[in-house]
């Protein structure tokens, strides 16, 4: 077996040193009747055989890059520079552990410090942590943090929050003290959707959670919401599922957010069928001790040289155990490295340019879709995502188009089957979308809705 | 009247108000104190409730209300200078003052000599 | 006051051996290159990508344009490559040498797994594409599920948890849902005092009170005390097996019977499953729920702290409460994804957006297929053999905490350092100078100054013998009073000991420009 370096002679020598003749003498504490069960699984495979087997499975899937592609709703196909994937595969990054021995983990610790800085800059917040599993779990953590900060329990979720995020918040808090009040989605009316959140705030509210742009792609001015929330001593939690938007749009921090959570996949990370991704989590300095997750801080070593360490770790489970701010341990470090390398390649200039290309492409898409008889585009405002109303069931249309090799977007019914929006389709257009892709979509859609 | 608890806290009772802190043994066991979270003034506690938190780099401990009562004053200096707990645990490093709701709760505590023997017995 | 501590001494220690009496003009030290932060190297006008210039055009973002500076510094592509290459060289990884971090299972990460995860058919598919276009992905999830269920002898698995702690949450939520479904409002979860910190944190997260069960002198759960604590208020018992002392709980079936007799569930922390792959199935031992750490047992890389993946297997008693989503077979033989609850479902809900860590599923399955059932069993046997070999070769100079045989890891305490002035921390830091990553220190909490050593199956006998030579040398040096080797260690690492007190008292958690600080 190619991954096992011990030879039979080595094993015999080692057994002799230990003073045993059979390996199972080391398993003497295992109940005898249960030792060495028959396991009905295939035997050892060579590298070539494994490749053949897995490639066969992979080839049954329609890769995003092989077709006109407009699927978004929380995960986006962006171009990731080759440098990113090369650098994260350096063994010193890939095969390191969580940096608990800082003297030999400065590489990890420094990039985490850089990542925290970039995230804080991007979201315009004081401080960001080293990352969470993904945007949805970060959102649930934000709700619980708001309860600790405000000592109030009632969290209001906006209708424009990604339905998966809503489900994760509801699931995660079902056995905690939190009370979650979710507003219904109104993908066709962003103003009414926002007003419903404002109206739902009262003095018992710990936080309001609102996504921007919304799951239907609408861009919201959150300043009036922040004002009402703060007047009721509630925190404003802003979720961002498409962080590239922040190269063009006013930041959550500037709009008055107290906690910002985000899905960082768009920067540096591929689609990967939903994971691993990288959750962003940022807040104001005064709340840092209530923050979940790992934090890296600057310090000096015994020679006075600058270095970095994990810090404020008494918030965490390995010390606080049942009183920890969260049970999170392993997070998404390598995905945060991919994020930070891609952000470094972009810089502010590149990020702003990237955001503009996304927006412009989506404007082109909107114009093209508006020209199809029977299709209504619902967005007045948007970044790189649109919701359209079709004259028939959107899921059927998407499946029909997939057969012809066009991945047209996400039917709203896939996101939330009970919301009664079966005729709505959510489409995203990133910098990867070409004019030919849009033409192929328009032609296929035109045919499908007739 | 200076009293000690088995949880390594001290109380100094003067005029019906108890000043509470942690002992030299406790600060020594915790190491460098980096953060202290204090209760709110006028908060009510029962004996044994979590009243404050003291953190070193690698440890966090609850400071219990040693008796039942109401917080009358907190040592806000610790928020900026938590190291006072290390340098002066019995003096500048006090945590909070509280009323003594039930004087009988004081009876079980140790005096300085008894506490010294108690700590010696832990070694 | 309470003590809730790892007890690591952390004071920074000054001084250290110098190998030259001068510093270089550059600040570099040969191959050890000093590297500033990107914010000190780059600026907001530099970029390492070519993006088409759209020029100015009318925006459709509702008048909410970002006008303030973002501040993100950019670097050119060559400088980016150099920056992160230089940073990488300050790290220690499995690729560089023995990484005996107990309970963390730092085994070799095959590069085939990386290649497979990057096949466009896995790496470049969207979680919300039509199901008909991702049949291969669902097929992979089915195949992985089959491996996990077969290796554990359990009838169901939830793949979606994102890491071990998330898996624990998944398991305990299913347990609570099962109790609630039968109208049973139990309040307490029992954890041994040797448990991972995530166990009590998870239990508290699900609204349970945590009660600690003591250990026995032989390093195992005190079954009498456990039985004493078990009554109709106990919802579950969380036990790690093999446990965090590296020992197999030999009374595990007795424990399971007692748990079930009390109407509670048996949660097994599967962090140490690497010791028993193909050797024994938790399902045969009475386990109701167990999470895996694919990033430990099945070699998906730790990546400096993640991503992980924490699938959970369930017994018949719990499987109806497993979370969404899951793969099921459709009518025409195709695979379907159940993403939302339907009438009559008793699932406890959804733990994450989308379907979990697909990238980790591919890597883990690649590892399993490569080994096969025979190779996995051999891997467990080699891991256990190697740990016992270390134990046998070290116990005359270090203090073994418990009687062997051990499983995949060996626990020592600091009794052998008594009166040497050397602490477990010092010993660990001296290992850095020997070219090794230190073992897990000060965990588990049940022995004084714990040193938990896990070699995994990935080390050759040559590597093990080299490592043993270093460990013996250090132990003998400590006893011989060669304290210099320890007290300021590491001497040869990129940094000396770091001042953690300063970092915590005055937290600097991000870069700020000197004029803004």
């Amino acid at each position: 077996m190619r991954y096992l370096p011990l030879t039979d002679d080595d094993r015999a020598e080692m057994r002799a040193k230990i003073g045993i003749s059979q390996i199972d003498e080391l398993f003497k504490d295992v109940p005898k009747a249960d030792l060495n069960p028959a396991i009905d699984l295939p035997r050892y495979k060579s590298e070539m055989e494994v490749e053949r087997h897995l490639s066969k499975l992979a080839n049954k899937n329609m890769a995003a890059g092989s077709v006109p592609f407009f699927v978004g709703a929380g995960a986006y196909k962006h171009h990731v520079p080759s440098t990113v994937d090369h650098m994260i595969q350096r063994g010193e990054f890939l095969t390191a552990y969580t940096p608990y021995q800082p003297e030999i983990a400065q590489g990890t610790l420094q990039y985490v410090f850089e990542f925290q800085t970039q995230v804080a800059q991007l979201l315009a917040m004081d401080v960001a942590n080293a990352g969470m599993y993904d945007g949805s779990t970060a959102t649930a953590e934000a709700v619980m943090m708001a309860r600790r900060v405000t000592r109030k329990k009632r969290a209001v979720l906006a209708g424009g929050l990604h339905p998966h995020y809503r489900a994760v918040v509801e699931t995660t808090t079902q056995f905690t003290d939190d009370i979650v009040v979710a507003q219904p989605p109104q993908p066709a009316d962003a103003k009414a959707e926002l007003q419903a959140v404002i109206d739902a705030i009262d003095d018992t509210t710990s936080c309001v959670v609102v996504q921007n742009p919304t799951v239907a792609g609408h861009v919201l001015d959150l300043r009036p919401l922040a004002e009402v929330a703060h007047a009721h001593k509630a925190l404003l939690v802003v979720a961002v599922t498409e962080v590239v938007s922040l190269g063009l749009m006013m930041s959550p921090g500037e709009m008055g957010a107290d906690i910002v959570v985000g899905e960082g996949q768009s920067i540096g990370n591929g689609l990967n069928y939903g994971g691993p991704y990288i959750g962003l989590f940022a807040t104001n300095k005064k709340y840092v001790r209530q923050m979940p997750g790992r934090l890296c801080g600057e310090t000096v070593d015994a020679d006075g040289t600058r270095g970095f360490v994990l810090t404020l770790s008494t918030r965490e489970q390995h010390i606080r155990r049942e009183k920890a701010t969260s049970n999170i341990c392993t997070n998404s470090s390598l995905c945060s490295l991919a994020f930070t390398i891609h952000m470094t390649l972009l810089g502010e200039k590149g990020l702003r340019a990237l955001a503009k290309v996304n927006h412009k492409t989506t404007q082109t898409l909107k114009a093209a879709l508006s020209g199809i008889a029977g299709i209504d585009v619902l967005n007045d405002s948007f970044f790189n995502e649109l919701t359209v109303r079709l004259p028939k069931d959107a899921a059927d249309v998407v499946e029909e188009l997939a057969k012809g090799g066009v991945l047209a977007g996400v039917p709203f019914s896939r996101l939330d089957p009970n919301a009664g929006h079966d005729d709505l389709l959510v489409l995203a257009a990133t910098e990867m979308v070409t004019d030919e892709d849009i033409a192929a979509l328009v032609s296929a859609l035109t045919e499908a809705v007739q | 009247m200076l009293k000690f608890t088995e949880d390594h806290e001290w109380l100094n009772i003067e005029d019906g108000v108890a000043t509470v802190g942690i002992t030299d043994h406790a600060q020594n066991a915790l190491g460098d104190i980096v953060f202290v979270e204090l209760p709110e003034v006028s908060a009510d506690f029962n004996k044994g409730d979590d009243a404050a938190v003291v953190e070193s780099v690698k440890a966090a401990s609850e400071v219990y209300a040693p008796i039942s009562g109401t917080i009358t004053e907190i040592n806000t200096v610790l928020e900026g200078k938590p190291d006072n707990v290390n340098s002066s645990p019995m003096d500048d490093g006090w945590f909070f003052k509280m009323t003594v709701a039930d004087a009988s709760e004081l009876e079980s505590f140790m005096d300085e000599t008894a506490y010294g023997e108690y700590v010696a017995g832990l070694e | 006051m309470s003590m809730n501590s790892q007890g690591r001494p952390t004071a920074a220690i000054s001084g250290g051996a110098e190998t030259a009496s001068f510093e270089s003009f550059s600040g570099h030290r040969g191959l050890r290159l000093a590297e500033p932060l990107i914010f000190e190297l780059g600026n907001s006008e530099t970029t390492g990508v070519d993006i088409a210039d759209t020029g100015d055009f009318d925006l459709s973002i509702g008048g909410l344009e970002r006008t303030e500076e973002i501040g993100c510094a950019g670097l050119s592509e060559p400088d980016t490559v150099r920056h992160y290459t230089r940073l990488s060289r300050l790290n220690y990884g499995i690729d560089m040498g023995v990484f005996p971090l107990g309970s963390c299972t730092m085994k070799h990460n095959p590069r085939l797994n990386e290649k497979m995860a990057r096949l466009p058919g896995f790496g470049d598919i969207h979680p919300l594409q039509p199901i008909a276009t991702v049949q291969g992905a669902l097929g992979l999830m089915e195949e992985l599920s089959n491996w996990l269920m077969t290796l554990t002898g359990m009838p169901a698995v939830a793949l979606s948890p994102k890491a071990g702690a998330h898996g624990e949450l998944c398991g305990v939520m299913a347990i609570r849902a099962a109790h609630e479904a039968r109208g049973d409002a139990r309040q307490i979860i029992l954890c041994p005092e040797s448990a991972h910190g995530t166990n009590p944190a998870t239990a508290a997260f699900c609204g349970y009170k945590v009660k600690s069960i003591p250990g026995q002198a032989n390093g195992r759960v005190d079954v009498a005390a456990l039985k004493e604590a078990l009554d109709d208020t106990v919802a579950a018992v969380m036990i790690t097996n093999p446990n965090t002392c590296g020992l197999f709980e030999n009374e595990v079936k007795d424990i399971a019977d007692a748990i079930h007799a009390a109407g509670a569930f048996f949660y097994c922390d599967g962090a140490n499953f690497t010791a028993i792959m193909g050797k024994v199935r938790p399902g045969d031992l009475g386990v109701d729920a167990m999470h895996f750490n694919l990033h430990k047992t099945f070699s998906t890389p730790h990546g400096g702290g993640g991503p992980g993946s924490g699938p959970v297997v369930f017994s018949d008693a719990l499987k109806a409460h497993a979370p969404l989503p899951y793969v099921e077979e459709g009518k025409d033989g195709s695979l379907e994804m159940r993403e939302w609850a339907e009438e009559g479902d008793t699932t406890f809900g959804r733990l994450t957006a989308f379907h979990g860590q697909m990238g980790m599923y591919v890597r883990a399955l690649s590892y399993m297929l490569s080994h096969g059932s025979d190779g996995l069993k051999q891997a467990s046997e080699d891991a256990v053999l190697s740990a016992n070999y270390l134990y046998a070769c070290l116990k005359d100079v270090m203090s073994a905490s418990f009687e062997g045989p051990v499983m995949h890891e060996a626990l020592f305490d600091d009794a052998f350092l008594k009166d040497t002035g050397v602490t477990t921390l010092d010993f660990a830091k001296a290992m850095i100078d020997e070219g090794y990553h230190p073992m897990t220190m000060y965990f588990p909490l049940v022995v004084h100054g714990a040193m938990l050593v896990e070699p995994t199956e990935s080390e050759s006998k040559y590597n093990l013998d080299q490592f043993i030579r270093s460990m013996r040398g250090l132990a003998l040096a400590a006893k011989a009073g060669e304290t210099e080797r320890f007290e300021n260690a590491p001497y040869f690492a990129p940094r000396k000991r770091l001042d953690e007190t300063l970092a915590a008292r005055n937290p600097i958690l991000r870069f700020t420009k000197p004029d803004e600080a």
Side-chain angles (χ1 to χ4, degrees), chain A residues 154-166:
Chain A
R154 183 174 175 273
V156 177
L157 311 186
L161 181 65
H162 194 295
H164 281 193
Y165 285 42
R166 182 188 76 214

Side-chain angles (χ1 to χ4, degrees), chain B residues 7 9 32-33 58 61 64, chain C residues 1-2 4-5 500-501 505:
Chain B
D7 300 315
E9 293 173 21
D32 290 346
I33 309 285
K58 289 287 162 61
S61 302
Y64 305 125
Chain C
M1 55 174 282
S2 64
N4 200 354
S5 165
E500 298 189 37
T501 303
R505 278 191 182 153

Side-chain angles (χ1 to χ4, degrees), chain A residues 350-373:
Chain A
L351 179 69
R352 284 183 183 274
L354 178 65
K356 280 173 90 174
V357 174
N358 273 258
H359 190 54
K360 185 138 206 219
T361 308
T362 308
Q363 286 183 337
T364 308
L365 175 67
K366 184 184 177 185
L369 292 171
S370 304
I372 304 175

Side-chain angles (χ1 to χ4, degrees), chain B residues 54-77:
Chain B
V54 53
E55 293 184 11
S56 65
V57 174
K58 289 287 162 61
S61 302
E62 270 63 46
V63 176
Y64 305 125
I67 53 173
S68 306
T70 305
I71 303 293
T72 58
E73 199 180 336
I74 55 173
N75 185 4
T76 50
V77 175

Side-chain angles (χ1 to χ4, degrees), chain A residues 73 158-164 166 183-189 193 211 214-218 378-379 385-390 392-398 408-427, chain C residues 128 339-340:
Chain A
L161 181 65
H162 194 295
H164 281 193
R166 182 188 76 214
Q183 302 295 316
Q186 302 187 51
D189 192 343
E193 199 175 64
Q211 180 176 322
T214 68
V215 70
H218 305 289
L378 303 181
N379 301 67
E385 212 156 9
L386 302 167
T387 299
V388 300
R389 191 184 300 283
L390 304 179
K392 50 168 83 167
D393 185 287
D396 293 344
V397 171
V398 165
V410 184
F412 204 91
S413 60
R414 175 96 189 258
L415 293 169
D416 190 344
N418 304 316
H421 297 297
D422 296 356
D423 55 350
L424 299 190
L425 175 65
V426 183
L427 305 94
Chain C
L128 297 174
E339 293 178 298
W340 293 92

Side-chain angles (χ1 to χ4, degrees), chain A residues 273-404:
Chain A
Y273 200 51
Y277 288 173
I278 167 69
L280 313 183
F281 198 109
T283 188
N284 296 325
K285 211 169 177 179
K286 61 182 168 183
Y287 302 136
V288 71
R289 285 189 176 268
Q290 293 300 338
M291 203 178 193
R294 222 175 277 151
L295 280 167
C296 168
E298 185 181 319
T299 187
V300 294
D301 77 354
D303 289 346
T305 309
R306 177 171 68 184
F308 302 91
V309 291
L310 295 180
T311 192
L312 304 187
S313 54
T314 46
R315 301 164 299 111
E316 293 181 68
Q317 47 73 29
H318 62 282
I319 293 179
R320 275 306 245 168
R321 298 174 83 87
E322 70 267 23
K323 288 188 171 153
T325 53
S326 165
N327 79 337
I328 192 168
C329 183
T330 293
N331 61 7
S332 290
S333 203
L334 202 69
C335 302
S336 71
L337 174 62
F339 179 103
T340 207
I341 296 171
H342 193 183
M343 271 304 294
T344 300
L345 284 164
L346 287 167
E348 175 159 351
K349 185 179 177 189
L351 179 69
R352 284 183 183 274
L354 178 65
K356 280 173 90 174
V357 174
N358 273 258
H359 190 54
K360 185 138 206 219
T361 308
T362 308
Q363 286 183 337
T364 308
L365 175 67
K366 184 184 177 185
L369 292 171
S370 304
I372 304 175
I375 292 185
D376 267 344
V377 182
L378 303 181
N379 301 67
D380 293 328
S381 65
F382 55 87
F383 171 64
N384 69 356
E385 212 156 9
L386 302 167
T387 299
V388 300
R389 191 184 300 283
L390 304 179
K392 50 168 83 167
D393 185 287
D396 293 344
V397 171
V398 165
E399 269 177 42
E400 191 56 38
L401 263 62
K403 284 180 194 152

Side-chain angles (χ1 to χ4, degrees), chain A residues 219-239:
Chain A
V219 175
L220 304 177
D221 184 352
L222 300 175
R223 288 170 294 189
L225 175 63
E227 215 165 280
V228 177
H230 294 156
H232 290 275
K233 295 197 160 53
L235 303 190
L236 174 60
V237 178
V238 178

